[in-house]
Amino acid sequence: MSDHDFDFEPQPGIPAPLPQGEEILWQGSPDMKALASEAFKIRWVTGYMVALAFWRAFVIWTESGLAKALPTLVLYLLFAVGTYLLVLLLAYVQARATIYTLTSARAILRVGAALQVTFTVPYKVIEVAALGLTKRSKQGIGTLALQVPDEMRLSYTVLWPSARPWHIRHPQPAFRCIPEAEKVARILAEAAQAKLNEPELTHAPVGTATAGLAPAE
């Protein structure tokens, strides 16, 4: 993947030029190490491989002795290291390809490494925004999930890893493993409230016009 893969975008993470009056309030991407840990479960995968290496070496030691067990242990540990590096690479590619954007009117998620897809979530359809912080994170890393109506018919598979974990039947787009997550959540809350309180032009007989406030939920 090169920096020119998304040259068709008017600016990174934005599929089309923003309408007049709409502005970008925040942009960011997942933290690679946090994504590897939270989404790809790199510790569990590597731990399993290491445990498998020692178990296999122990079995061979009991059957054939230490001379044959040691080479087996080294080989399996090399597999474990290779698995760790592979998962880390996948997390790096996903984090690099993903861009989250908050504008004054909507949330935008550009996701996918092999197949790039952009999801747009207007603030007016967001039912609930849920913030979950990563434990022991000095950067305030967390995941900001957006609950949307079922009518949007989102695909968990296409969204992943930018989806709220385990919400498979009713997928929720999520800003996954973002630094300063609390700050981003405040930006989202303020922008959504401002959009909901924005005056809207309502239909009226020809020759007249009325303005009303959209109800805030």
Side-chain angles (χ1 to χ4, degrees):
M1 182 181 297
S2 71
D3 293 335
H4 301 289
D5 289 343
F6 304 106
D7 282 349
F8 60 87
E9 296 177 325
Q11 56 189 105
I14 307 296
L18 295 177
Q20 186 175 1
E22 185 176 352
E23 59 180 344
I24 294 176
L25 304 179
W26 175 88
Q27 265 194 334
S29 297
D31 179 86
M32 185 266 290
K33 292 182 179 179
L35 192 67
S37 177
E38 297 292 325
F40 289 86
K41 306 298 181 184
I42 191 170
R43 295 177 183 175
W44 288 95
V45 172
T46 306
Y48 170 80
M49 295 296 295
V50 171
L52 179 64
F54 280 96
W55 175 80
R56 185 59 182 162
F58 174 76
V59 171
I60 293 180
W61 174 65
T62 58
E63 294 177 350
S64 306
L66 186 62
K68 291 187 177 181
L70 282 178
T72 301
L73 177 62
V74 171
L75 178 62
Y76 274 77
L77 287 178
L78 288 175
F79 283 152
V81 172
T83 301
Y84 175 86
L85 294 176
L86 176 60
V87 174
L88 199 64
L89 176 62
L90 292 174
Y92 168 78
V93 171
Q94 281 287 355
R96 190 169 180 268
T98 300
I99 297 180
Y100 304 131
T101 305
L102 292 178
T103 75
S104 53
R106 51 187 162 157
I108 302 173
L109 301 86
R110 191 193 77 182
V111 302
L115 177 64
Q116 181 241 330
V117 180
T118 301
F119 293 91
T120 297
V121 185
Y123 293 141
K124 292 186 178 182
V125 305
I126 297 176
E127 297 175 345
V128 178
L131 174 64
L133 296 177
T134 302
K135 296 179 180 179
R136 300 183 298 276
S137 172
K138 296 181 180 179
Q139 296 178 285
I141 294 174
T143 293
L144 182 60
L146 310 176
Q147 182 176 326
V148 297
D150 295 340
E151 290 75 15
M152 292 193 70
R153 298 184 180 277
L154 300 175
S155 168
Y156 187 89
T157 303
V158 176
L159 272 172
W160 192 90
S162 297
R164 188 175 185 177
W166 308 115
H167 286 66
I168 299 175
R169 186 175 180 182
H170 302 292
Q172 297 181 17
F175 287 12
R176 196 79 186 269
C177 301
I178 52 173
E180 299 183 318
E182 288 184 315
K183 175 183 176 182
V184 178
R186 287 195 297 269
I187 295 174
L188 170 64
E190 293 171 0
Q193 189 61 49
K195 186 64 179 177
L196 290 174
N197 290 335
E198 186 178 79
E200 290 186 348
L201 190 65
T202 60
H203 292 287
V206 178
T208 65
T210 61
L213 289 178
E217 298 181 357

